[in-house]
Amino acid sequence: MEGKRWLSLLLLVFVLVGISMDLLREAPAASSNILKSSSARIPVNPDGGEQRDGSKSREYKGIPLKANLSVCHASFSDADRPVYCCPAWKDADQTLLDFEFPDPSSPVRIRRPVHLVDEEFVAKYERAVAIMKQIPPDHPHNFWRQANMHCLYCTGAYDQANSSALFKIHRSWLFFPWHRAFIYFHERILGKFMGDDTFALPYWSWDTPEGMWFPDIYRKGALNETERDAIHLREPAVDDFDYVDHDLASDVQIADNLAFMYHQMISGAKKTELFMGCKLRSGVEGWCDGPGTIEAAPHNTLHSWVGNRYNPERENMGAFYSAARDEVFYAHHSNIDRMWTVWKKLHGNKPEFVDQEWLESEFTFYDENVRLRRIKVRDVLNIDKLRYQYEDIDMPWLAARPKPSVDPKIARNILKKRDGEGVLRMPGETDRSRVYEHGSWTLDKTITVRVDRPRINRTRQEKEEEEEILVVYGIDTKRSRFVKFDVFINAVEETVLSPKSREFAGTFVNLHHVSRTKSHEDGGEGSKMKSHLKLGISELLEDLEADEDDSIWVTLVPRGGTGVNTTVDGVRIDYMK
């Protein structure tokens, strides 16, 4: 009997030891969960809601992007309305020729600011567009067919050649090269109609005070368009890059725009990906949604600013599928293209990317002789070889570096009091002990959150080699509509801030955009993915004298009531070489 008792006790000891070991093994995870649930900051997701290079094995890794021309299907606007922009001529049945550069001895086409062109130029330009609108609708040179080229590549009418993923050219590193190729061919077709091999599209120089008005030439004849925002185009309306509708005086709006341009072109665009956009790869797994600074604004904001507010998606300019139906689209994108040349010059004309997937990605367009051409990204990187240039003008935004709205020392004292609270604060809330669970935040009101900085006291060389970036990740627009929110750092009073405040870190703009990667037939509804926003902040932190702080305060400010349709998963600090 005694032996049985000892045996029972020994078995009980073994059982208790086993349970203890299991508890010890689970303790770190349990502790981690406690820390997460009691954290007052927006949770840090290691993947950040976006595709990262090498984070997934991809079936189509290393394969350049191109469209599957054999099947053009019905697609959907970004408000999920059916659109059909496929050509009457099936492109797959045409002879596809490689792109050939113009003869090096041919005239250089000089693109001039639209506000400086003369009446003779306007008359020739208008006649050529009128011809383009009158030729048979199934002809590739017809104006509406030209407009539908943009629709084809922005709504996903074509699948990628090597997968069932849709081929789209917005919100990634394809944005600049595709649009450069598009307006290159459009320009040469117009020149063919004129019999003028020197014709060049004008550019809408909205980055300069003289050009910050809707161009008058697009109010006349064949260049006119009825589907525009009559309120914004009334005199003396100055373009609003931030698109907040503050109803500012013209001189104040111009100052805001110049500071905005400084941020989008210089302080917020020190690294190639920040300016050009994220690295879109082949296949659904290679998807990314991260527009560069200029694409986000003023590109998107001016599209909406011009579009008709009374149409469902602010057509024409305000929606991707219809934007190129307005001839001002081409002047707008000529200046977008010019910004690429200016940015590249500011960075010593270094290659943007060396990735073969980017360099070998290709698009197809009909040239001025109605021949279908295959043009690759590598073909459009040197405008000298394409035989066009931009007339130089002053760029006052180069010297429009913003200043802090509040003296950094005063702001520091105010932020220290906020820092002591240690919680995510929503406006109007007084309960400082409130705990926020892991999840998404709806931007139906301003959100302020403290974010840790992983590395401080970096050397000058380290800062030059590696930009500190703020990542707002897991951005989900619940409805396909215009959505905008601004991001500020160490803002003491965000209601008085604007782009000309140094606290302004950047903006997120959704131009009636859905991140669907597949068509409805292939499960497109289920493959809608979230976006992310990457903002360069190294220079900003120096100007705010926050470069040595171990954390910063980030404020997300929804604009125009659009935040009710937007959620955000989190905010973090990263570094980009």
Side-chain angles (χ1 to χ4, degrees):
M1 184 66 68
E2 191 70 24
K4 289 182 179 180
R5 278 201 298 270
W6 279 107
L7 181 59
S8 298
L9 287 171
L10 186 60
L11 289 172
L12 180 60
V13 168
F14 277 119
V15 170
L16 291 173
V17 169
I19 293 173
S20 299
M21 292 300 292
D22 288 340
L23 288 173
L24 286 172
R25 280 192 293 268
E26 292 175 6
S31 175
S32 174
N33 288 333
I34 290 170
L35 288 172
K36 285 182 181 178
S37 65
S38 63
S39 172
R41 299 164 189 165
I42 292 180
V44 176
N45 182 331
D47 291 325
E50 76 269 14
Q51 174 68 34
R52 289 186 166 192
D53 292 343
S55 63
K56 297 179 182 178
S57 69
R58 296 189 290 109
E59 182 180 354
Y60 305 102
K61 186 174 182 180
I63 298 177
L65 284 156
K66 62 179 179 178
N68 177 5
L69 301 179
S70 62
V71 180
C72 184
H73 47 69
S75 48
F76 292 83
S77 79
D78 286 318
D80 262 356
R81 293 186 298 131
V83 295
Y84 189 82
C85 41
C86 296
W89 298 7
K90 190 175 180 181
D91 288 348
D93 294 338
Q94 311 306 312
T95 301
L96 183 59
L97 304 173
D98 287 331
F99 174 71
E100 295 178 355
F101 288 104
D103 189 322
S105 64
S106 62
V108 176
R109 300 169 188 257
I110 306 297
R111 295 179 181 173
R112 303 192 65 215
V114 69
H115 67 277
L116 295 181
V117 297
D118 58 29
E119 291 184 6
E120 181 183 357
F121 173 90
V122 175
K124 288 173 58 179
Y125 182 21
E126 185 188 347
R127 282 198 301 272
V129 173
I131 293 171
M132 189 177 273
K133 289 182 175 181
Q134 292 167 4
I135 61 177
D138 62 346
H139 194 284
H141 288 175
N142 172 272
F143 181 81
W144 315 113
R145 277 253 42 89
Q146 286 282 295
N148 275 345
M149 289 298 295
H150 191 254
C151 179
L152 285 172
Y153 284 92
C154 72
T155 65
Y158 287 130
D159 293 341
Q160 295 175 18
N162 298 297
S163 79
S164 62
L166 300 181
F167 190 20
K168 294 186 178 184
I169 47 81
H170 287 98
R171 305 178 73 82
S172 77
W173 61 357
L174 294 184
F175 169 77
F176 279 106
W178 187 91
H179 286 87
R180 174 171 285 180
F182 180 37
I183 61 175
Y184 169 84
F185 286 109
H186 184 79
E187 177 177 81
R188 294 179 71 86
I189 292 168
L190 287 170
K192 182 82 170 181
F193 289 154
M194 297 178 188
D196 182 359
D197 61 0
T198 68
F199 171 77
L201 286 164
Y203 65 89
W204 178 9
S205 57
W206 33 250
D207 60 303
T208 66
E210 299 80 10
M212 288 182 188
W213 317 83
F214 186 82
D216 279 339
I217 75 166
Y218 294 101
R219 302 175 188 267
K220 305 170 186 175
L223 302 181
N224 191 26
E225 169 59 53
T226 59
E227 300 303 326
R228 292 174 182 155
D229 194 322
I231 296 173
H232 282 160
L233 301 189
R234 280 202 307 257
E235 295 291 349
V238 177
D239 310 338
D240 181 1
F241 295 174
D242 198 34
Y243 197 37
V244 179
D245 276 345
H246 284 313
D247 294 324
L248 301 176
S250 295
D251 58 339
V252 178
Q253 184 66 68
I254 288 171
D256 264 19
N257 288 350
L258 293 176
F260 193 91
M261 285 301 302
Y262 177 90
H263 180 275
Q264 300 298 83
M265 287 291 290
I266 299 178
S267 65
K270 292 187 180 296
K271 296 299 178 183
T272 305
E273 186 177 336
L274 295 176
F275 178 75
M276 298 289 291
C278 65
K279 297 181 177 183
L280 180 72
R281 313 284 191 180
S282 295
V284 174
E285 298 85 356
W287 172 91
C288 75
D289 187 339
T293 51
I294 289 296
E295 183 183 359
H299 169 261
N300 284 354
T301 48
L302 281 183
H303 266 282
S304 281
W305 190 83
V306 174
N308 189 341
R309 68 178 65 197
Y310 298 112
N311 288 336
E313 299 180 54
R314 297 191 72 100
E315 292 92 343
N316 283 326
M317 272 283 281
F320 283 148
Y321 83 91
S322 60
R325 298 174 186 173
D326 190 331
E327 188 61 32
V328 79
F329 170 96
Y330 300 93
H332 179 39
H333 274 277
S334 290
N335 204 42
I336 294 289
D337 184 67
R338 172 175 158 262
M339 290 299 101
W340 183 9
T341 68
V342 170
W343 181 88
K344 190 167 182 175
K345 186 179 293 185
L346 290 173
H347 289 260
N349 289 313
K350 297 177 183 176
E352 293 86 345
F353 300 102
V354 295
D355 306 58
Q356 290 301 305
E357 287 172 276
W358 186 65
L359 294 170
E360 293 297 321
S361 288
E362 64 184 56
F363 322 115
T364 54
F365 298 95
Y366 284 94
D367 68 12
E368 65 272 24
N369 296 311
V370 203
R371 295 173 299 196
L372 187 61
R373 294 287 188 177
R374 174 196 295 115
I375 187 169
K376 297 184 177 183
V377 169
R378 65 166 67 252
D379 296 327
V380 302
L381 299 182
N382 185 339
I383 66 171
D384 290 336
K385 295 176 71 174
L386 296 174
R387 305 300 291 165
Y388 74 88
Q389 292 290 338
Y390 289 97
E391 181 176 306
D392 289 335
I393 55 176
D394 290 336
M395 296 181 288
W397 51 263
L398 286 168
R401 186 168 180 164
K403 299 183 183 301
S405 64
V406 176
D407 182 278
K409 295 180 176 59
I410 296 175
R412 182 183 297 276
N413 290 331
I414 297 173
L415 292 170
K416 278 183 178 178
K417 296 178 182 178
R418 178 189 292 175
D419 191 60
E421 300 172 10
V423 298
L424 172 69
R425 301 188 308 111
M426 302 286 280
E429 291 174 355
T430 57
D431 181 5
R432 297 182 179 179
S433 64
R434 180 173 176 179
V435 172
Y436 291 82
E437 300 294 336
H438 180 93
S440 299
W441 277 262
T442 300
L443 294 185
D444 54 351
K445 59 187 75 174
T446 296
I447 288 179
T448 299
V449 60
R450 189 178 67 189
V451 180
D452 287 333
R453 296 177 61 220
R455 293 160 54 191
I456 58 176
N457 298 321
R458 294 189 299 150
T459 66
R460 175 59 57 184
Q461 182 177 349
E462 288 174 327
K463 292 177 184 177
E464 289 176 356
E465 294 176 351
E466 218 173 31
E467 175 75 0
E468 186 165 353
I469 60 172
L470 181 72
V471 184
V472 184
Y473 62 84
I475 304 169
D476 191 5
T477 52
K478 297 298 184 185
R479 297 179 187 173
S480 334
R481 56 178 297 178
F482 182 82
V483 168
K484 184 181 190 304
F485 64 84
D486 289 336
V487 183
F488 297 93
I489 289 179
N490 287 357
V492 174
E493 178 50 74
E494 65 273 359
T495 59
V496 300
L497 296 181
S498 73
K500 67 173 180 286
S501 308
R502 182 74 280 197
E503 293 87 347
F504 177 75
T507 189
F508 174 86
V509 181
N510 181 76
L511 184 64
H512 289 286
H513 166 75
V514 172
S515 301
R516 183 179 293 110
T517 59
K518 290 185 177 182
S519 63
H520 283 288
E521 294 83 358
D522 293 324
E525 282 292 343
S527 59
K528 178 180 181 295
M529 299 186 184
K530 297 180 180 181
S531 306
H532 66 277
L533 175 65
K534 293 182 178 181
L535 305 171
I537 60 172
S538 292
E539 183 181 291
L540 178 153
L541 293 178
E542 287 184 4
D543 290 352
L544 294 179
E545 298 179 14
D547 194 40
E548 297 182 4
D549 295 346
D550 60 5
S551 64
I552 55 175
W553 286 92
V554 177
T555 301
L556 309 182
V557 183
R559 299 299 189 183
T562 61
V564 295
N565 302 301
T566 311
T567 59
V568 171
D569 287 348
V571 183
R572 68 168 188 268
I573 297 290
D574 269 355
Y575 298 88
M576 181 182 291
K577 290 186 177 180

